[in-house]
Amino acid sequence: MEEEIIQSNLEKPVYRKIHLQLAAFFGGPLAIVYILAENFKQFGETARVKKTWVIGIGLCLLFFIGVAYLSTAKKIPNLIVPLISILIGTAIMQSWQGADIKIHSEAGGRIFPLTRALLIGVLSLVATILFFVIIAVFYAMIFGVPSKQ
């Protein structure tokens, strides 16, 4: 019975650190949250999936506010923001899921292809841009567009 459970878990593919890093480079924190939540789902930790989404979305918003503040406060290189996102995401993955991913990989478990991580990154980028466009449109509707005089 135990071997069947282990074997069925090995059939579910998971994301590794390189997947998270690639997706985070293109898609930012939203891609990180998605990959972490998907891994928890594959490992059967449904309670952690919900926590990851709730806490992750909140942290994404704080991250974007921090980036907006930093961009107005000081001139920082554009590459710093994705690197910070990647470092934070990698550290979280290693501490929360590192052992499970290692066990899964060493037991011959399936791993998602890198192209899927790239797609997640691109879709996360599109979702983030769409979110900011919607915010900008609502802001313009509420406060109006300043006139050019």
Side-chain angles (χ1 to χ4, degrees), residues 18-28 31-32 35 117-118 120-122 124:
I18 188 70
H19 295 99
L20 181 128
Q21 293 167 340
L22 179 66
F25 183 77
F26 291 104
I32 294 169
I35 286 179
L118 180 62
I120 290 167
V122 170
S124 296

Side-chain angles (χ1 to χ4, degrees), residues 1-143:
M1 173 83 173
E2 185 175 325
E3 287 181 19
E4 290 176 20
I5 294 171
I6 292 171
Q7 187 62 32
S8 69
N9 287 340
L10 294 178
E11 291 300 314
K12 297 177 181 178
V14 297
Y15 295 99
R16 292 176 32 196
K17 182 171 61 173
I18 188 70
H19 295 99
L20 181 128
Q21 293 167 340
L22 179 66
F25 183 77
F26 291 104
L30 186 59
I32 294 169
V33 173
Y34 177 82
I35 286 179
L36 291 173
E38 279 297 302
N39 272 356
F40 280 134
K41 186 168 84 173
Q42 301 298 47
F43 293 134
E45 300 182 39
T46 54
R48 291 184 111 183
V49 172
K50 292 174 186 173
K51 279 184 185 178
T52 300
W53 276 111
V54 170
I55 294 170
I57 295 299
L59 290 176
C60 281
L61 293 175
L62 286 176
F63 184 80
F64 292 135
I65 291 169
V67 167
Y69 175 74
L70 281 177
S71 67
T72 59
K74 291 196 177 204
K75 195 71 175 162
I76 59 170
N78 291 337
L79 194 57
I80 294 295
V81 174
L83 289 178
I84 290 171
S85 181
I86 289 168
L87 288 173
I88 292 170
T90 302
I92 291 170
M93 178 182 256
Q94 285 299 108
S95 65
W96 288 357
Q97 300 176 343
D100 291 335
I101 293 170
K102 184 177 180 183
I103 291 168
H104 182 84
S105 296
E106 288 176 353
R110 292 181 55 211
I111 304 294
F112 281 116
L114 278 175
T115 52
R116 185 174 171 120
L118 180 62
L119 180 63
I120 290 167
V122 170
L123 291 175
S124 296
L125 176 63
V126 169
T128 302
I129 291 170
L130 187 61
F131 172 76
F132 282 112
V133 167
I134 291 170
I135 295 295
V137 167
F138 278 125
Y139 184 84
M141 287 173 51
I142 293 171
F143 297 108

